[in-house]
Amino acid sequence: MHKTVLAPAAVFSPIQGEQEPTLLWFQDVVKEYQGDGEAVHALNEVSLRLQAGQFVTVVGRSGCGKSTLLNLAGAMDFPTRGHVRLDGVATDSLNEAQLTSLRREKVGFVFQSFQLLHTLSVVENVEVPLLLAGQRNPRPKAMDRLAAVGLADLSHRMPHQLSGGQMQRVAIARALVHAPRIVLADEPTGNLDSATGASILQLLRQICDEQKTAILMATHSTEAAAVADAVIHMRDGRIVHS
């Protein structure tokens, strides 16, 4: 697979040859936090675009700004300066109700720790985003998503009855059940062995290719980055040359 390593000057533009719509756009984004009386730059002049059907990994050490980048991409936090546009909408222009709607309709989240609800069955966990959105009879959609990740036969089980790889597949099914435009994955293979992690990465790659879902994934792993179309390297809140 041809891979593009996105450098600071190149990351602002779509990958050459791509014609898909831009779903995520960071425009000169700065994110500051106050610590010990002075500003700490979690992100510093970050610009990037992510298109439909594009798989991009963000690579860097802990504290480099990866998680902050994902939080802003998912409208869970907002830039101090600059703008983040999600499917054409500036996230800092919306009220709380509009932000909730944007997240529920446009974004799916996959976490390192799975974050399944252990009092619910597998299929009930996958139904949660649909129930929060007010959909009636969510079971058929939830079962379809479980079938897509190969777990339809385990729909009745509880999370503690699953392996780590199976739990992550449930989490991916939950992230996709409402057909989001973009999936944000924060170290999705971090708690898995190498073989199971590789299968999860191939599943994400398949979802990206077949459904034109954009994927932005933060990772420490060079193996995880290998499945992506492009790699962003971060250091000290900036996008840097590798």
Side-chain angles (χ1 to χ4, degrees):
M1 180 191 302
H2 172 71
K3 190 178 307 300
T4 303
V5 178
L6 296 181
V11 74
F12 188 70
S13 300
I15 291 178
Q16 187 175 4
E18 291 286 348
Q19 302 297 324
E20 298 291 347
T22 297
L23 298 182
L24 180 66
W25 188 3
F26 277 56
Q27 298 172 275
D28 301 317
V29 168
V30 174
K31 180 61 182 179
E32 296 176 349
Y33 297 102
Q34 292 299 316
D36 295 327
E38 60 182 47
V40 176
H41 285 75
L43 294 179
N44 200 346
E45 299 293 333
V46 169
S47 294
L48 64 88
R49 294 191 192 195
L50 181 65
Q51 296 168 276
Q54 191 177 11
F55 194 144
V56 173
T57 55
V58 185
V59 178
R61 296 180 178 179
S62 296
C64 71
K66 300 190 305 294
S67 293
T68 301
L69 184 76
L70 291 188
N71 285 339
L72 268 65
M76 302 299 292
D77 203 350
F78 309 98
T80 305
R81 295 190 297 278
H83 296 284
V84 176
R85 298 185 183 276
L86 184 56
D87 205 12
V89 178
T91 59
D92 57 356
S93 69
L94 303 179
N95 61 35
E96 192 57 43
Q98 292 170 324
L99 285 167
T100 298
S101 178
L102 182 72
R103 295 184 202 109
R104 287 178 179 172
E105 294 175 7
K106 305 291 186 181
V107 185
F109 296 92
V110 180
F111 304 96
Q112 178 177 345
S113 56
F114 319 133
Q115 296 197 9
L116 300 180
L117 299 174
H118 289 274
T119 57
L120 300 181
S121 70
V122 164
V123 70
E124 288 169 340
N125 266 279
V126 178
E127 288 175 336
V128 167
L130 300 177
L131 293 170
L132 290 174
Q135 292 192 29
R136 298 180 179 180
N137 191 25
R139 186 60 52 93
K141 283 187 178 180
M143 288 302 299
D144 283 348
R145 286 303 183 188
L146 282 172
V149 300
L151 290 182
D153 292 343
L154 303 183
S155 62
H156 63 286
R157 290 195 181 181
M158 304 300 286
H160 72 271
Q161 297 174 306
L162 304 179
S163 68
Q166 288 169 338
M167 285 193 283
Q168 193 60 288
R169 285 177 179 267
V170 175
I172 291 170
R174 180 184 59 190
L176 294 170
V177 72
H178 58 298
R181 302 294 306 280
I182 181 171
V183 168
L184 304 174
D186 193 359
E187 298 284 358
T189 63
N191 285 341
L192 305 175
D193 63 70
S194 57
T196 303
S199 70
I200 292 298
L201 293 171
Q202 289 305 314
L203 176 61
L204 290 172
R205 179 74 257 179
Q206 180 182 350
I207 289 163
C208 181
D209 293 339
E210 294 181 357
Q211 302 178 24
K212 292 297 182 183
T213 304
I215 297 178
L216 184 64
M217 180 177 72
T219 183
H220 290 89
S221 168
T222 55
E223 292 82 4
V227 304
D229 301 310
V231 181
I232 294 171
H233 292 271
M234 293 194 69
R235 184 183 303 123
D236 300 329
R238 294 181 180 272
I239 294 172
V240 297
H241 292 279
S242 59

